[in-house]
Amino acid sequence: MKYYIIAGEASGDLHGSNLIKAIKTKDLEANIRCWGGDLMQQAGGTLVKHYKEMAFMGFFEVITNINQIFKNIAFCKEDISQFNPDIIVFIDYSGFNLRIASWAKKQGFHTNYYISPQIWASREGRINKIKRDIDAMHVILPFEKDFYEKKHNFPVNFVGHPLIDAIDELPRTAEDSFREQNQLDSEKPIIALLPGSRKQEVQKMLTLMLSAIESFPNYQFVIAGAPSLEHDFYQPFLKSAQVGIVFNKTYDLLSISHAALVTSGTATLETALFKVPQVVCYRANWISYQIAKRIITLKFISLVNLIMDKEVVKELIQEDLNTTNIKKELSKILEGPYRASQIEAYINLEKKLGGKGASAKAAALIVGNAQKVSN
């Protein structure tokens, strides 16, 4: 059978790759065409467009790149029509994917969504489009099932969170070798810096994160370089001997880190699953932030706090993200009871996420739906 999968970000590429692997174990003749990244391609998907070409963040950035976005939408529709898949699978990336879903449903394609748009955070009215255009929804956060089914009478499948599988399957990192290979200090505990995967994010976040390093001389700060960005882009940030950088090894880095400063997003959950105490950082373009805070109604911005429905990790947002606060909050998670309480909460968080097997569960549902359509 033929599958068309669309992901538009680094996290979607990771989850899409594991989904492709799982689909191929259940459908040995699966022909998979995809939008995503290197991981999805390596898993066996035929890559149509890389997410690097689609990474526009925030309302202001989207507006300034609107012509390219419309070109991508037109190209995607044409490519789907020519491929004529049995099923289309959308992974997150709602602004683009819901537009394609609307068109695809009218063309008679069967539509599945894996990793729901975060309509519980903003623009809840999109539920009407989802009900109209999506044939099956597979969610990964425990509170999403109640949100869809009890609040909006739309049945969904809770499959668990694929990050648990992705992390569990990793080989154990040899710390000494990792430090040596990446030219890191051999002894200082590591504070990981995860400033995001897009240029706009990194430019806003990394300077602020690094402004605290002089207060922590006994630690080494190490940047998790995004695979979508070149090494030269980070060069201006590497002036201090106390700062290192690694590329395409974020999980290895987290596995040996003592603490972390993390840009809000999936990375906050990844950091928690590695049991690394963290401070969550977020600062957006002023215009984008002013719009966002008027439409987002959540108490928290990090997945860790949202899933636990309480403040487990400190969130420094917009003007609160400054050198003084970073130093203060980072100090609290390096040792003592606050650090211990975060780690304890992480253990409870993992239990809430439903355990292992998310990719396999989602793949079974998707292959089953594709079989129904083809028959």
Side-chain angles (χ1 to χ4, degrees), residues 301-363:
I301 63 169
S302 68
L303 282 173
V304 175
N305 291 345
L306 286 168
I307 293 167
M308 297 302 289
D309 195 28
K310 64 179 182 179
E311 184 182 271
V312 172
V313 297
K314 182 65 177 180
E315 299 177 351
L316 298 178
I317 303 172
Q318 213 63 6
E319 298 307 318
D320 287 338
L321 182 64
N322 55 56
T323 304
T324 299
N325 286 340
I326 290 171
K327 290 178 181 178
K328 174 186 172 184
E329 297 301 330
L330 184 54
S331 295
K332 289 164 62 176
I333 62 171
L334 294 180
E335 57 183 26
Y338 186 68
R339 174 183 174 84
S341 69
Q342 268 200 26
I343 294 173
E344 183 180 356
Y346 287 165
I347 295 170
N348 294 327
L349 167 73
E350 190 166 346
K351 292 176 183 176
K352 273 196 166 189
L353 289 175
K356 302 175 185 177
S359 300
K361 292 172 189 173

Side-chain angles (χ1 to χ4, degrees), residues 53-336:
E53 301 176 52
M54 305 188 292
F56 306 118
M57 177 192 174
F59 299 98
F60 181 75
E61 290 79 13
V62 167
I63 290 170
T64 57
N65 289 280
I66 196 69
N67 289 337
Q68 184 59 49
I69 292 170
F70 282 130
K71 287 179 182 177
N72 288 342
I73 289 171
F75 173 70
C76 185
K77 291 176 181 178
E78 178 63 25
D79 196 60
I80 291 172
S81 296
Q82 291 185 8
F83 185 60
N84 193 29
D86 294 294
I87 193 167
I88 302 173
V89 181
F90 304 102
I91 299 179
D92 203 358
Y93 200 54
S94 62
F96 185 89
N97 276 336
L98 286 177
R99 286 178 177 271
I100 299 299
S102 177
W103 167 85
K105 186 66 176 176
K106 292 173 185 175
Q107 305 305 308
F109 291 109
H110 189 79
T111 56
N112 276 213
Y113 219 119
Y114 175 48
I115 306 180
S116 165
Q118 295 179 350
I119 66 170
W120 38 266
S122 66
R123 293 180 288 161
E124 193 170 332
R126 290 177 292 173
I127 184 62
N128 297 318
K129 293 181 180 179
I130 288 172
K131 283 184 170 182
R132 182 190 68 199
D133 300 328
I134 303 301
D135 294 308
M137 175 73 77
H138 315 298
V139 302
I140 64 172
L141 298 172
F143 60 79
E144 290 178 319
K145 188 169 178 65
D146 282 350
F147 172 83
Y148 277 108
E149 295 186 346
K150 292 183 178 179
K151 188 171 185 180
H152 292 292
N153 194 32
F154 181 65
V156 300
N157 307 297
F158 173 58
V159 297
H161 206 293
L163 276 178
I164 294 177
D165 291 334
I167 291 171
D168 184 68
E169 293 167 5
L170 290 174
R172 185 176 178 84
T173 302
E175 182 169 354
D176 291 344
S177 298
F178 182 82
R179 286 175 179 264
E180 183 178 354
Q181 290 169 5
N182 293 283
Q183 301 177 322
L184 304 178
D185 187 282
S186 61
E187 296 182 355
K188 287 183 177 180
I190 289 173
I191 297 174
L193 304 180
L194 280 65
S197 60
R198 305 179 181 102
K199 281 188 177 181
Q200 298 99 321
E201 280 182 313
V202 176
Q203 288 167 339
K204 288 183 177 72
M205 309 300 300
L206 195 47
T207 300
L208 280 164
M209 289 179 172
L210 290 172
S211 69
I213 64 174
E214 292 182 0
S215 297
F216 302 94
N218 296 324
Y219 292 85
Q220 167 135 42
F221 289 70
V222 182
I223 302 165
S228 57
L229 301 176
E230 300 297 327
H231 187 279
D232 288 348
F233 174 77
Y234 291 93
Q235 203 59 47
F237 302 102
L238 304 176
K239 296 174 183 177
S240 171
Q242 208 175 324
V243 181
I245 188 167
V246 299
F247 283 91
N248 301 318
K249 297 176 183 176
T250 299
Y251 284 3
D252 290 328
L253 174 62
L254 285 173
S255 73
I256 63 169
S257 292
H258 186 73
L261 300 177
V262 186
T263 296
S264 177
T266 303
T268 63
L269 183 56
E270 292 170 320
T271 303
L273 291 174
F274 276 100
K275 311 300 186 292
V276 179
Q278 64 183 298
V279 179
V280 176
C281 306
Y282 179 79
R283 179 175 284 192
N285 170 281
W286 187 85
I287 296 174
S288 297
Y289 178 72
Q290 293 303 317
I291 296 172
K293 76 176 186 178
R294 285 164 173 77
I295 64 173
I296 295 175
T297 57
L298 299 174
K299 290 187 292 184
F300 305 109
I301 63 169
S302 68
L303 282 173
V304 175
N305 291 345
L306 286 168
I307 293 167
M308 297 302 289
D309 195 28
K310 64 179 182 179
E311 184 182 271
V312 172
V313 297
K314 182 65 177 180
E315 299 177 351
L316 298 178
I317 303 172
Q318 213 63 6
E319 298 307 318
D320 287 338
L321 182 64
N322 55 56
T323 304
T324 299
N325 286 340
I326 290 171
K327 290 178 181 178
K328 174 186 172 184
E329 297 301 330
L330 184 54
S331 295
K332 289 164 62 176
I333 62 171
L334 294 180
E335 57 183 26

